[in-house]
Amino acid sequence: MVRWVFVVKKGYQDTDTSLQSSVITKLKGVAFTNTSELGERLWDVADYVIPPQGENVFFVMTNLIVTPNQRQTTCPEVGRTESFGSQTPTKLGSVNIPDALCHQDEDCPEGQAVVAGNGVKTGRCLKDRDSIRGSCEVLAWCPVEKRSKPKKPLLASAENFTVFIKNSIRFPKFKFSKMNVLATNNESYLKTCHYSMEHPYCPIFLLGNIVRWTGNNFQEMALEGGVIGIQIEWNCDLDQAPSECNPHYSFSRLDNKFAEKSVSSGYNFRFAKYYRDAKGIEYRTLFKAYGIRFDVMVNGKAGKFNIIPTIINIGSGLALMGAGAFFCDLVLLYLIKKSNFYRGKKYEEVKSSSRKSLTSPTLNGSQSPDQLGGL
């Protein structure tokens, strides 16, 4: 009991769990791609990191679907490359946007937004030649977004990108502060080191290592995205030297990795870049970005000797020992089969001897002198 309270749980210490923390992140790395939509392109941190401010939650884009030269006009909700003809419609057409399918103009009420679609219906049902089923015409940014999923990650080399995670913490009760970066004047230190057991105060991690430490494959995760949690734990015994207060890192995948075949698997969002042509007409390039979101979470606890919790825990331990003896007696005296044997050993039975009482005569004033003399 004493070992548990004072050695394991450190009951002699006052604790502070109100950790104050700040996190700053910075990514490094470049990639080169050559695609039909974008041509030859070099990607740096300004292209694939969102948001660029370097907060405790950041997103690294690893894949992309590009829909270039979109303009506000009319077009079929289901693109011409997506079959909606006389045969059974493909998954890209009917299953994804069933509200856009039609047989006649009456199936496309004018002014009604397409459910889970891209625009507003114009009242026309567009069909291919000799087709029974067609697609509603919509007013939207046309051509509409491509609905094919990527086959392989665009930025597969993001596995070799690095992230620098600077974490400053403070325990206000004890006025103790520390940072997870080595205090050094060597400017080349952070440019040459990576986190390891030999460099615990170099918080620079390879993205590929982070994903691997969660038990996942980076290339598989980069295809459709996901969410990774980076946990920084500060458990500090301030009765020891400040150098003994060190951060501990752990990594986990926060989204459900077993839902890879689910329609909602991965992590993605859309954004656009807007332009104007020579006539002043606005157009845009739509991007559907897939990638990995990293959530950096910090918590911890600090403890330091204080006489008040020490006295309280000693008193509680003594009281608990007394209560333990009481309950043991209760069990041995009333609940076990040989309770009489234990009662006989614990208590000694004492029998009192009978005494003869001597009755004194009462003085009431009527006794004779002889009687009084006999007293």
Side-chain angles (χ1 to χ4, degrees):
M1 178 65 69
V2 174
R3 177 180 175 82
W4 171 259
V5 173
F6 289 99
V7 178
V8 178
K9 303 302 290 183
K10 297 183 179 180
Y12 57 88
Q13 289 185 335
D14 190 11
T15 59
D16 185 5
T17 58
S18 57
L19 176 69
Q20 298 174 349
S21 170
S22 70
V23 174
I24 299 174
T25 57
K26 184 183 295 185
L27 280 98
K28 294 286 186 180
V30 294
F32 176 80
T33 61
N34 189 358
T35 62
S36 57
E37 294 88 355
L38 299 173
E40 294 184 352
R41 179 163 181 173
L42 183 71
W43 301 79
D44 62 12
V45 292
D47 299 311
Y48 60 76
V49 178
I50 304 171
Q53 289 86 356
E55 301 175 350
N56 62 328
V57 177
F58 60 94
F59 173 84
V60 178
M61 184 171 61
T62 57
N63 216 346
L64 199 63
I65 294 178
V66 182
T67 308
N69 197 29
Q70 283 189 322
R71 298 173 184 266
Q72 289 198 11
T73 183
T74 58
C75 57
E77 177 64 74
V78 179
R80 294 294 181 184
T81 58
E82 302 173 70
S83 173
F84 52 83
S86 58
Q87 298 180 352
T88 302
T90 64
K91 178 180 179 182
L92 295 176
S94 63
V95 176
N96 280 2
I97 312 179
D99 190 46
L101 300 179
C102 61
H103 294 86
Q104 53 190 358
D105 291 346
E106 287 73 13
D107 296 332
C108 306
E110 184 178 0
Q112 185 181 89
V114 179
V115 177
N118 297 281
V120 177
K121 298 174 183 177
T122 64
R124 296 178 60 198
C125 180
L126 304 179
K127 300 179 183 179
D128 283 339
R129 183 177 298 178
D130 300 328
S131 297
I132 298 175
R133 179 178 289 182
S135 170
C136 291
E137 182 184 64
V138 293
L139 174 63
W141 286 96
C142 299
V144 296
E145 179 187 69
K146 298 178 181 179
R147 296 189 173 274
S148 58
K149 285 191 175 182
K151 302 298 182 181
K152 59 181 181 179
L154 176 67
L155 298 181
S157 60
E159 186 173 9
N160 299 315
F161 295 172
T162 61
V163 58
F164 170 58
I165 305 175
K166 183 169 69 173
N167 178 216
S168 301
I169 59 104
R170 180 175 182 268
F171 291 102
K173 180 183 288 188
F174 304 124
K175 298 180 180 179
F176 177 84
S177 301
K178 197 168 184 181
M179 192 166 60
N180 68 335
V181 181
L182 181 68
T184 177
N185 294 324
N186 186 356
E187 296 182 357
S188 64
Y189 175 71
L190 292 178
K191 296 180 181 180
T192 57
C193 68
H194 284 166
Y195 175 80
S196 64
M197 297 300 295
E198 291 77 19
H199 299 282
Y201 278 85
C202 176
I204 298 178
F205 303 87
L206 282 171
L207 298 187
N209 286 343
I210 293 177
V211 174
R212 186 170 62 254
W213 290 334
T214 67
N216 291 269
N217 181 275
F218 185 90
Q219 297 300 323
E220 294 176 357
M221 195 173 184
L223 184 62
E224 295 188 29
V227 183
I228 295 292
I230 302 174
Q231 183 77 41
I232 306 177
E233 191 84 21
W234 294 84
N235 289 321
C236 300
D237 185 355
L238 300 185
D239 291 327
Q240 301 182 18
S243 59
E244 298 299 318
C245 176
N246 299 314
H248 298 277
Y249 301 90
S250 60
F251 309 89
S252 59
R253 182 167 181 175
L254 302 182
D255 63 320
N256 187 1
K257 67 177 181 180
F258 300 106
E260 293 179 353
K261 297 182 180 179
S262 171
V263 294
S264 61
S265 62
Y267 184 84
N268 64 78
F269 61 91
R270 295 171 177 84
F271 66 95
K273 293 185 178 180
Y274 294 85
Y275 312 92
R276 289 189 181 274
D277 60 17
K279 297 180 180 180
I281 299 175
E282 186 179 44
Y283 67 99
R284 75 179 188 181
T285 298
L286 179 65
F287 299 91
K288 184 177 182 180
Y290 295 84
I292 304 175
R293 193 183 81 179
F294 295 87
D295 294 7
V296 184
M297 300 164 285
V298 183
N299 55 44
K301 180 177 70 173
K304 192 173 185 179
F305 173 78
N306 191 307
I307 190 61
I308 295 177
T310 303
I311 294 175
I312 292 175
N313 282 300
I314 290 175
S316 300
L318 294 175
L320 187 60
M321 292 174 64
F326 169 77
F327 283 109
C328 286
D329 281 346
L330 187 67
V331 171
L332 294 172
L333 288 172
Y334 298 103
L335 299 180
I336 65 174
K337 293 182 179 180
K338 296 184 179 181
S339 60
N340 291 332
F341 176 78
Y342 179 76
R343 187 181 292 108
K345 294 296 183 180
K346 182 175 179 64
Y347 301 108
E348 181 180 359
E349 187 174 349
V350 178
K351 296 182 179 179
S352 60
S353 59
S354 59
R355 295 180 180 180
K356 294 182 179 180
S357 60
L358 177 62
T359 304
S360 299
T362 305
L363 299 177
N364 53 16
S366 60
Q367 285 85 357
S368 63
D370 295 334
Q371 291 176 325
L372 293 174
L375 295 177

